[in-house]
Amino acid sequence: MAAAAVDSAMEVVPALVEEAAPEAAGLSCLVNLPGEVLEYILCSGSLTAADIGRVSSTCRRLRELCQGSGKVWKEQFRVRWPSLMKHYSPTDYVNWLEEYKVRQKAGLEARKIVASFSKRFFSEHVPCNGFSDIENLEGPEIFFEDELVCILNMEGRKALTWKYYAKKILYYLRQQKILNNLKAFLQQPDDYESYLEGAVYIDQYCNPLSDISLKDIQAQIDSIVELVCKTLRGINSRHPSLAFKAGESSMIMEIELQSQVLDAMNHVLYDQLKFKGNRMDYYNALNLYMHQVLIRRTGIPISMSLLYLTIARQLGVPLEPVNFPSHFLLRWCQGAEGATLDIFDYIYIDAFGKGKQLTVKECEYLIGQHVTAALYGVVNVKKVLQRMVGNLLSLGKREGIDQSYQLLRDSLDLYLAMYPDQVQLLLLQARLYFHLGIWPEKVLDILQHIQTLDPGQHGAVGYLVQHTLEHIERKKEEVGVEVKLRSHEKHRDVCYSIGLIMKHKRYGYNCVIYGWDPTCMMGHEWIRNMNVHSLPHGHHQPFYNVLVEDGSCRYAAQENLEYNVEPQEISHPDVGRYFSEFTGTHYIPNAELEVRYPEDLEAVYETVQNIYSAKKESVE
């Protein structure tokens, strides 16, 4: 009977929504139902927010059921934006109707700004002040971020330009927030020893689009601790570490009890879970990100040591970090409490080497050199993070194919957040931005700061200031948009069009064309270095700007390109800057690129029809 009543009422609700003045009989049938049934119907998912608004205006009872802080509007909010619910506590009073309105408004504003970015910044890198519009929006930042994530998660191969700029904005907003959190973290007193928290900030900053949180990483470590406790229970069922409550721990003073913990840890980490030092792929940034260390169960000495240290301390073993040259270590005190200790009163633990315990002599053998006693000393959180970021900085300098140098830029940001007056790194940052042709105004600010810190850098600073000012002046002199018409006589030799998927005849890479010139427009030095004169047609042939599947951008001669008979998406980070959609055979240019090549799209359709349709017919 109850089910029948609900089904009957469910049929009445759409009618009430559609009718401006519902019949009294239909309304009476609905409002006479028990409140729980009515609430169930209104939360069933069949009604939109607009429907709920109209239903609530029909009578007092329905208006009370649909009050802003009630279950009906909470369900509307949850269904529309499920990822936001984690930000609300069950005990909080929330006016869900108002939250819905604010989130809806934030989404519209965010989309408006994303849509404007392509037109504003198509010809240049988004400047430092380019994000000011979204920074100045009113409303909770999490609402804007959520809308950007919704754009990124749009299904299919469409809205590529929206996704491209939504990603840039989200990257910037999250990094700014993380950097502020890191700076606040660094203001903690020296005895604040949350090494894991600092490492997670570094991880988050370098991976702002990933869902990384200290809470989640700590939960994974807690699960490892539980396994260690299970093993420890088999060694000593009365071990004091087993009595520690979750989130609470104290230090155990007896060496034998500490040794039992370390034995259990080594068994779980290295034998049971198969954690190991990554000797095969040592110079990979993933080895430094704590969430990746836990996923891949491998890392380098410093990341493996931080994991080992965190677990040991939770179980009462007071290990300490040692900034040992070339190989980060932990130390374990063997001396009596309160005694005067030297480096020989410690055992040194190599978490990279399966928790092996080393003497001073074995530590020196490990790195192949004698070191002073000072290098066996404990270091604070800031020094540990400095070493982690220093490793990332070294990897960033090694980057080859990544022409955006994102890792180098991120690691420079992190290092300068900790040590803002490092002249050589400031100079490297200025040179990097200058090389990439981005943020000339910021380059000038950095150079001015360098000159204040070290007037001896006048030569390097002066050179960069001069060329940066020249760059700014050239940008000011640029007028209008260059439009290239295929029908123009000087373009008669251009065979290919923007958006076509091509293959390089010599090197075999797949790419998509995003620009072309009737002849090679590069300078004499580039033409000589690239040996263009050895080509049958030399530089007097069309050249194409292409985005390559390996993430690089290249300038290819027409005679070196051919149609890709099996077209596929090109996984290049800048595809969305130029194209709005991938059709399966070609890319469709966005509005800004189409303005520059207005006749290419028609040529693409003709090419696709001739090449791929003919292939399909031959197969059939």
Side-chain angles (χ1 to χ4, degrees):
M1 290 288 290
V6 170
D7 291 340
S8 176
M10 291 284 281
E11 296 172 1
V12 173
V13 174
L16 286 178
V17 170
E18 293 171 6
E19 296 288 341
E23 295 182 3
L27 181 60
S28 176
C29 173
L30 186 65
V31 299
N32 287 334
L33 290 171
E36 295 83 355
V37 176
L38 268 176
E39 198 173 68
Y40 172 81
I41 294 168
L42 295 171
C43 293
S44 65
S46 60
L47 302 180
T48 66
D51 293 337
I52 297 297
R54 288 194 290 268
V55 166
S56 65
S57 66
T58 57
C59 70
R60 180 186 298 174
R61 179 135 193 262
L62 289 173
R63 184 163 58 251
E64 290 173 352
L65 271 173
C66 298
Q67 60 180 308
S69 59
K71 186 177 178 181
V72 174
W73 277 108
K74 180 180 181 180
E75 184 64 12
Q76 283 290 321
F77 190 94
R78 186 196 67 79
V79 171
R80 183 76 183 275
W81 302 292
S83 62
L84 289 175
M85 296 305 293
K86 63 185 178 184
H87 299 287
Y88 298 93
S89 168
T91 59
D92 291 343
Y93 172 82
V94 180
N95 188 320
W96 294 103
L97 174 57
E98 289 305 312
E99 289 291 282
Y100 192 102
K101 291 177 180 177
V102 173
R103 171 60 182 85
Q104 182 83 342
K105 181 181 178 183
L108 293 173
E109 289 295 324
R111 284 175 174 259
K112 181 179 177 182
I113 290 174
V114 170
S116 73
F117 262 53
S118 184
K119 186 174 183 179
R120 293 160 60 196
F121 305 123
F122 178 80
S123 300
E124 61 175 330
H125 191 278
V126 180
C128 295
N129 60 359
F131 301 99
S132 58
D133 290 350
I134 202 159
E135 283 182 319
N136 296 330
L137 287 175
E138 297 179 0
E141 188 176 289
I142 57 170
F143 286 179
F144 300 117
E145 287 193 12
D146 187 65
E147 186 62 33
L148 296 172
V149 171
C150 288
I151 293 172
L152 288 176
N153 292 336
M154 290 169 64
E155 293 183 5
R157 301 162 170 179
K158 298 184 178 181
L160 299 181
T161 300
W162 274 50
K163 292 176 182 178
Y164 174 79
Y165 286 106
K167 182 177 180 180
K168 281 194 172 295
I169 295 169
L170 186 61
Y171 203 98
Y172 174 83
L173 288 178
R174 287 190 174 173
Q175 280 199 327
Q176 291 303 109
K177 182 166 62 177
I178 296 163
L179 201 60
N180 289 335
N181 291 340
L182 175 61
K183 289 177 179 178
F185 172 81
L186 293 171
Q187 297 305 311
Q188 300 282 355
D190 287 343
D191 59 354
Y192 185 74
E193 296 186 332
S194 183
Y195 299 96
L196 181 65
E197 184 179 353
V200 170
Y201 282 132
I202 291 173
D203 191 349
Q204 289 173 330
Y205 191 82
C206 294
N207 303 282
L209 300 183
S210 299
D211 189 13
I212 302 165
S213 71
L214 177 61
K215 180 181 178 182
D216 290 343
I217 288 178
Q218 184 62 61
Q220 293 179 65
I221 292 176
D222 289 344
S223 67
I224 297 176
V225 170
E226 289 179 12
L227 293 174
V228 175
C229 286
K230 184 177 180 180
T231 299
L232 187 59
R233 194 171 287 109
I235 299 172
N236 180 356
S237 61
R238 296 184 178 182
H239 197 286
S241 295
L242 299 175
F244 293 164
K245 295 180 180 179
E248 299 179 1
S249 65
S250 59
M251 293 301 116
I252 299 168
M253 294 298 105
E254 294 84 351
I255 298 297
E256 178 59 29
L257 293 175
Q258 293 178 8
S259 180
Q260 290 174 358
V261 171
L262 297 182
D263 288 344
M265 282 177 54
N266 290 342
H267 172 72
V268 169
L269 282 173
Y270 304 112
D271 298 333
Q272 187 174 338
L273 297 180
K274 306 299 182 184
F275 276 85
K276 62 180 180 179
N278 195 348
R279 301 179 188 276
M280 298 298 293
D281 191 17
Y282 192 90
Y283 298 103
N284 186 331
L286 297 181
N287 293 323
L288 283 151
Y289 303 145
M290 295 308 296
H291 83 285
Q292 288 289 348
V293 171
L294 290 165
I295 291 171
R296 300 162 73 234
R297 300 190 180 183
T298 189
I300 59 173
I302 190 167
S303 56
M304 295 290 288
S305 293
L306 290 186
L307 175 62
Y308 198 98
L309 172 73
T310 303
I311 296 171
R313 288 195 168 195
Q314 283 188 219
L315 292 169
V317 182
L319 300 184
E320 298 173 300
V322 177
N323 208 8
F324 203 65
S326 304
H327 200 102
F328 200 89
L329 296 171
L330 300 171
R331 73 179 191 182
W332 174 28
C333 182
Q334 304 295 296
E337 186 178 3
T340 302
L341 304 173
D342 61 24
I343 61 174
F344 298 100
D345 292 310
Y346 293 89
I347 286 176
Y348 299 89
I349 296 176
D350 179 13
F352 182 81
K354 296 189 174 183
K356 185 177 181 181
Q357 297 176 6
L358 309 170
T359 64
V360 169
K361 198 166 198 63
E362 288 171 328
C363 289
E364 294 180 349
Y365 180 77
L366 180 67
I367 63 171
Q369 67 181 82
H370 174 73
V371 296
T372 62
L375 294 175
Y376 289 90
V378 66
V379 287
N380 62 19
V381 174
K382 191 172 182 180
K383 288 294 183 182
V384 172
L385 299 187
Q386 178 187 4
R387 179 147 175 178
M388 289 193 82
V389 175
N391 286 338
L392 287 171
L393 194 58
S394 297
L395 294 175
K397 292 176 182 178
R398 293 162 62 101
E399 282 182 333
I401 202 63
D402 181 7
Q403 297 182 349
S404 70
Y405 291 93
Q406 193 62 59
L407 179 58
L408 180 56
R409 290 159 61 183
D410 290 344
S411 52
L412 279 170
D413 288 343
L414 289 167
Y415 208 106
L416 291 170
M418 293 187 283
Y419 302 96
D421 296 336
Q422 285 278 336
V423 170
Q424 291 304 315
L425 292 184
L426 286 167
L427 195 56
L428 175 59
Q429 189 177 57
R431 284 173 171 157
L432 178 61
Y433 291 156
F434 177 78
H435 168 73
L436 295 173
I438 62 174
W439 299 346
E441 292 79 9
K442 185 171 183 177
V443 171
L444 294 178
D445 290 341
I446 296 171
L447 294 173
Q448 184 178 9
H449 184 46
I450 293 172
Q451 191 64 34
T452 302
L453 293 171
D454 184 3
Q457 297 290 336
H458 176 74
V461 168
Y463 174 86
L464 285 172
V465 167
Q466 176 186 343
H467 285 80
T468 301
L469 290 173
E470 290 174 358
H471 171 76
I472 292 173
E473 287 302 313
R474 283 196 301 272
K475 294 294 290 184
K476 290 179 180 177
E477 292 171 3
E478 292 179 1
V479 290
V481 172
E482 182 184 6
V483 177
K484 295 180 179 179
L485 301 174
R486 300 180 64 82
S487 58
H488 196 285
E489 176 64 20
K490 67 178 181 179
H491 299 151
R492 65 182 183 275
D493 294 331
V494 176
C495 295
Y496 307 131
S497 311
I498 58 168
L500 287 175
I501 310 297
M502 310 298 291
K503 193 177 190 69
H504 197 280
K505 294 177 182 178
R506 180 180 298 180
Y507 301 120
Y509 61 72
N510 298 313
C511 59
V512 56
I513 296 172
Y514 70 96
W516 49 258
D517 298 309
T519 59
C520 182
M521 301 300 290
M522 302 299 281
H524 294 297
E525 185 177 353
W526 186 90
I527 291 173
R528 183 176 64 254
N529 290 340
M530 300 303 292
N531 203 22
V532 173
H533 291 301
S534 66
L535 296 172
H537 298 287
H539 67 283
H540 296 296
Q541 62 174 309
F543 271 69
Y544 297 84
N545 300 103
V546 295
L547 302 176
V548 184
E549 59 191 344
D550 63 8
S552 63
C553 303
R554 305 192 188 185
Y555 196 50
Q558 181 165 280
E559 65 182 83
N560 281 337
L561 294 176
E562 62 183 355
Y563 296 119
N564 190 325
V565 294
E566 296 181 353
Q568 54 190 291
E569 282 189 270
I570 303 298
S571 56
H572 191 286
D574 284 343
V575 161
R577 179 178 178 180
Y578 304 102
F579 302 102
S580 61
E581 179 184 347
F582 179 65
T583 67
T585 56
H586 63 282
Y587 281 92
I588 296 178
N590 59 24
E592 285 64 46
L593 188 61
E594 190 172 6
V595 165
R596 290 156 174 78
Y597 298 90
E599 297 176 349
D600 271 41
L601 191 54
E602 184 178 346
V604 167
Y605 289 144
E606 184 177 343
T607 299
V608 168
Q609 183 69 24
N610 292 337
I611 300 297
Y612 302 118
S613 296
K615 179 190 173 187
K616 182 179 179 182
E617 290 174 3
S618 65
V619 171
E620 290 175 350

